[in-house]
Amino acid sequence: MKRVVIAGAGFAGLNAAKRLSRVRDVQVTLIDRENHHLFQPLLYQVAMAGLSPADIATPIRSLFTHAPNVRVLKEQALRVNLERACLITDHAEHAYDYLLLACGAQHAYFGHEEWEPYAPGLKNLSQATEIRRRVLEAFEAAEREPVPEQRRRYLTFVVVGGGPTGVELAGAIGEMSRYTLARDFRTIDPRQTRVMLIEAAPRILMGFDEDLAARAMRDLESLGVQVWTHARVTNISEEGVCVGTEDIAASTVLWAAGVRASPIAATLGVPLDKAGRVIVEPDFTIPGHREVFVAGDLAFAKDESGAPLPGIGAVAVQQGRFVGSAVLADLANRPRPTFHYHDKGQMATIGRARAIAEIYGHKLEGRFAWWMWLLVHIYFLSGFRNRLSVLVQWGWSYFTFGRGARLIVPKEWRAYDGGATTLAATQPPQSVQASPPLHSASVAGGEPVP
């Protein structure tokens, strides 16, 4: 029985595993550092309180309940030993006959990783809930802030990066502040929120048609978003953002400006591109190792015309299915198939009834593009429960402008941090005679301990 090890349960890894799960004489080990498959195109909606985390995430094990040849492990892939043909994780070593690396990418700060504490990126659920916490906390802080200058800082949001993620984040903040939160506060007027989208390139959405990008920019401005192009961020701190020589006071800065491949790519000892992606062969293998595949955001690949494949979910899905088919072809002693990328287009939403889309060469915008965006994303969600839940949430939001996931979940979970903070907070005033504390045995129902 051949052993296939897959690192990463994103679009590429998951689809490769599904294709191989149909063959009994293949043992598949699917490894991911999380226990869930994440539908990343809707991650920004969790960050903007439109959806709950469970709406866009599915437990990986539940997807392979009826596939006994697929073993799922929650581990962190660290490096690959090509000579010994094994994948090394933080818990074990996994020998393979075939290996697929599909560990994805992480956000990059172009050499300024010290900016991350002040400007979180958006690649996983932890980051999404942290962004949600920061955005909602900013409105709460502004509500109780008596100093106008400081209040303006709380109500200033800066999104760095004019790609699809940045555009969607900025549009969602603008829409939420002007519609969802408009009647919820008494001291502040959320409609006065300042939202800024910073992009270093000549325009936003550089991967889209220029006319569609211009439409997206007009839609953003209708939501109160200020779009700065030809603007390069030179510093980010707790006080805000420096763009060129201009300082912008902002309590909330979000990063959507760049990505870098997972560090595991560097352990292969093969050529990488500027973003750290593995430069793969046409069949997504690495030079000299036909048994090692790399797919998804970890791979730098080209289509039949020689153009680089974009880092989007549709590409990863097709690559994952191809890798599964290539392994099956080897097992059947047949030639491997040739990969053909089917470009179905791309989409971006700016807010309620505002979107742009390029589908099979056709340009769509406005309400119709938005409906297409809704249908496509619901269709590709994993699991009927998730599809139904998202459909209900979106329907409710459409008619009420409400956002049902506006929960501020603090990072601290401990009730007792060694006793100091808790005791200090509960210590009665010195003028009041305090009762002696109960001992643990007394609280438990036993005899008091002297």
Side-chain angles (χ1 to χ4, degrees), residues 26-356:
V26 174
Q27 179 61 52
V28 179
T29 301
L30 180 58
I31 297 171
D32 197 281
R33 63 182 179 183
E34 308 289 354
N35 79 325
H36 55 265
H37 166 71
L38 180 64
F39 191 74
Q40 280 200 350
L42 292 181
L43 190 58
Y44 87 96
Q45 293 230 344
V46 175
M48 293 294 107
L51 296 174
S52 296
D55 292 333
I56 66 167
T58 306
I60 302 170
R61 294 184 185 279
S62 69
L63 299 173
F64 297 97
T65 301
H66 303 292
N69 69 320
V70 178
R71 182 190 184 199
V72 178
L73 294 175
K74 185 178 181 296
E75 299 180 7
Q76 172 73 53
L78 299 178
R79 61 185 182 276
V80 179
N81 190 317
L82 295 175
E83 295 181 357
R84 294 170 47 210
C86 70
L87 173 71
I88 301 169
T89 71
D90 56 352
H91 285 82
E93 296 185 3
H94 301 277
Y96 62 80
D97 295 301
Y98 291 94
L99 172 67
L100 168 58
L101 292 179
C103 301
Q106 61 193 37
H107 52 273
Y109 294 87
F110 308 110
H112 292 279
E113 284 71 24
E114 70 275 10
W115 293 349
E116 185 177 30
Y118 313 112
L122 184 59
K123 283 294 181 181
N124 56 49
L125 285 178
S126 297
Q127 293 162 354
T129 54
E130 171 63 12
I131 289 174
R132 182 181 69 185
R133 185 190 69 81
R134 294 191 184 197
V135 170
L136 296 178
E137 281 281 17
F139 287 102
E140 297 292 341
E143 175 74 0
R144 62 177 181 264
E145 176 58 55
V147 181
E149 182 178 350
Q150 185 64 16
R151 187 184 302 156
R152 283 193 295 271
R153 177 176 169 271
Y154 284 130
L155 292 178
T156 299
F157 299 85
V158 178
V159 180
V160 183
T165 299
V167 166
E168 289 168 344
L169 283 172
I173 297 174
E175 184 177 74
M176 180 169 62
S177 61
R178 280 151 181 78
Y179 298 103
T180 306
L181 303 179
R183 298 184 298 269
D184 289 357
F185 293 86
R186 301 296 177 262
T187 303
I188 63 172
D189 182 1
R191 291 171 295 188
Q192 301 302 315
T193 297
R194 184 186 187 192
V195 185
M196 304 181 66
L197 179 62
I198 310 297
E199 171 56 48
R203 64 177 176 90
I204 61 173
L205 299 172
M206 290 295 291
F208 282 77
D209 176 83
E210 189 171 353
D211 292 337
L212 290 179
R215 169 60 188 264
M217 186 167 176
R218 292 194 299 271
D219 286 340
L220 285 171
E221 291 172 343
S222 71
L223 291 171
V225 178
Q226 302 174 20
V227 181
W228 289 16
T229 56
H230 294 97
R232 188 174 299 277
V233 172
T234 55
N235 189 41
I236 301 177
S237 67
E238 186 177 4
E239 298 302 317
V241 178
C242 182
V243 180
T245 59
E246 182 173 351
D247 291 324
I248 302 172
S251 67
T252 306
V253 182
L254 308 179
W255 185 265
V259 295
R260 184 168 183 81
S262 169
I264 196 173
T267 70
L268 293 172
V270 297
L272 309 177
D273 73 346
K274 293 180 180 180
R277 298 178 298 177
V278 178
I279 301 176
V280 297
E281 302 290 336
D283 61 353
F284 303 107
T285 59
I286 64 175
H289 292 273
R290 284 177 54 82
E291 76 284 2
V292 178
F293 297 87
V294 181
D297 289 341
L298 197 63
F300 176 81
K302 298 181 179 180
D303 61 17
E304 295 170 304
S305 67
L309 292 174
I312 58 177
V315 173
V317 169
Q318 294 181 42
Q319 289 177 345
R321 292 172 179 170
F322 171 83
V323 170
S325 298
V327 172
L328 295 178
D330 283 0
L331 298 180
N333 294 318
R334 292 184 283 103
R336 289 182 178 177
T338 301
F339 179 77
H340 300 283
Y341 172 56
H342 300 285
D343 186 2
K344 300 178 182 179
Q346 54 185 340
M347 298 176 167
T349 180
I350 299 92
R352 182 178 183 271
R354 297 178 176 92
I356 59 172

Side-chain angles (χ1 to χ4, degrees), residues 375-386:
L375 293 173
V376 167
H377 284 74
I378 289 176
Y379 176 79
F380 282 105
L381 268 171
S382 295
F384 174 78
R385 189 203 70 83
N386 284 11

